[in-house]
Amino acid sequence: MAVTDEAIEKIKAMIVSGALRPGDRLPRESELAAELGLSRNSLREAVRALALMRVLDVRQGDGTYVTGLDPQLLLEALAFVVDFHRDDTVADFLAVRRLLEPAATALAAARIDTATIEALGDRLDALGPHPSVEELIAADEEFHRAVVRAGGNAVLCSLLDGLAGPASRALAGYALTEDAVSRMLHEHRAILTALRDRDAEAARSWATVHIAGVEQWLRSAD
């Protein structure tokens, strides 16, 4: 194991064990290096890496702190990494979304509030039957984000946010195919009806159909 990797693992172990908690200030560099049996250089490299991963927050002139370790914060790096995907892996990202998002949509059926349902319905009405591709993609992202957030699982929400990039790029091509726009709008309304009816299984099924359509088109187009 590289020295920097070893340093990262040792700091991680302190956080996982509870020796360092969210919001705690790390000991002084010299003290922490001695405690962990590390050189100060390797400790600095580890701190830099963990700061990039949003595990640590380096405050100039104040010290280094453990962040709140919120899922949304920690998983921001996922979206950054996902944006480097190759064209031949987009379908795989969509397959992961197909596994996760229907579950999130089913959760939302029990938890989404009436105001959110009405707002999503109004947004669909305002979109009309013939939106541009840009309008459709923006509305699709807004729709799915609102539904997933309504499910109340912050980790699931952050994971799906991280997969949004490849999904949007695939959608840009799919939306140009015959009847794709009307099909997508119909599926959005079906998901919304299931949510309004508090029907978790119908919500799960329509979300699966909706996402699988784009995935299947992409695989057949390769």
Side-chain angles (χ1 to χ4, degrees):
M1 181 183 293
V3 176
T4 301
D5 291 340
E6 181 185 359
I8 290 171
E9 286 299 319
K10 286 185 175 181
I11 296 172
K12 175 185 170 184
M14 292 181 73
I15 296 170
V16 171
S17 70
L20 287 172
R21 298 181 178 278
D24 281 357
R25 186 179 186 276
L26 269 64
R28 290 173 53 190
E29 183 183 89
S30 57
E31 295 173 4
L32 186 58
E35 179 182 344
L36 297 178
L38 301 167
S39 71
R40 294 175 70 169
N41 282 339
S42 61
L43 179 60
R44 284 190 203 111
E45 290 299 319
V47 167
R48 285 194 196 98
L50 290 168
L52 288 172
M53 289 187 275
R54 304 302 184 91
V55 174
L56 298 178
D57 179 20
V58 180
R59 303 176 190 173
Q60 206 65 35
D62 185 14
T64 300
Y65 292 79
V66 180
T67 66
L69 302 179
D70 298 319
Q72 186 172 0
L73 183 68
L74 296 176
L75 290 169
E76 276 183 7
L78 173 64
F80 180 77
V81 172
V82 165
D83 278 338
F84 288 105
H85 70 274
R86 302 189 314 270
D87 288 346
D88 62 351
T89 63
V90 175
D92 291 337
F93 282 110
L94 287 175
V96 174
R97 186 184 177 203
R98 175 172 47 80
L99 293 171
L100 296 178
E101 189 157 336
T105 307
L107 282 175
R111 301 180 182 183
I112 193 168
D113 58 74
T114 302
T116 300
I117 292 173
E118 295 307 318
L120 290 173
D122 291 344
R123 181 75 174 90
L124 280 173
D125 291 341
L127 201 58
H130 304 294
S132 68
V133 171
E134 292 77 14
E135 290 171 332
L136 181 66
I137 291 173
D140 184 78
E141 289 177 353
E142 181 184 330
F143 181 89
H144 289 284
R145 187 172 291 113
V147 170
V148 171
R149 284 179 179 167
N153 187 310
V155 174
L156 198 49
C157 186
S158 296
L159 284 170
L160 286 166
D161 270 349
L163 296 172
S168 293
R169 282 185 279 281
L171 193 59
Y174 176 72
L176 297 173
T177 62
E178 186 178 0
D179 297 328
V181 172
S182 60
R183 197 159 51 242
M184 287 181 62
L185 293 174
H186 170 69
E187 290 160 1
H188 276 190
R189 290 197 178 279
I191 292 169
L192 201 54
T193 296
L195 295 175
R196 188 178 286 114
D197 293 341
R198 308 296 173 184
D199 188 335
E201 288 312 307
R204 186 196 307 273
S205 297
W206 276 111
T208 302
V209 167
H210 182 59
I211 297 163
V214 184
E215 182 193 346
Q216 288 168 2
W217 165 79
L218 189 63
R219 291 190 188 281
S220 65
D222 286 343

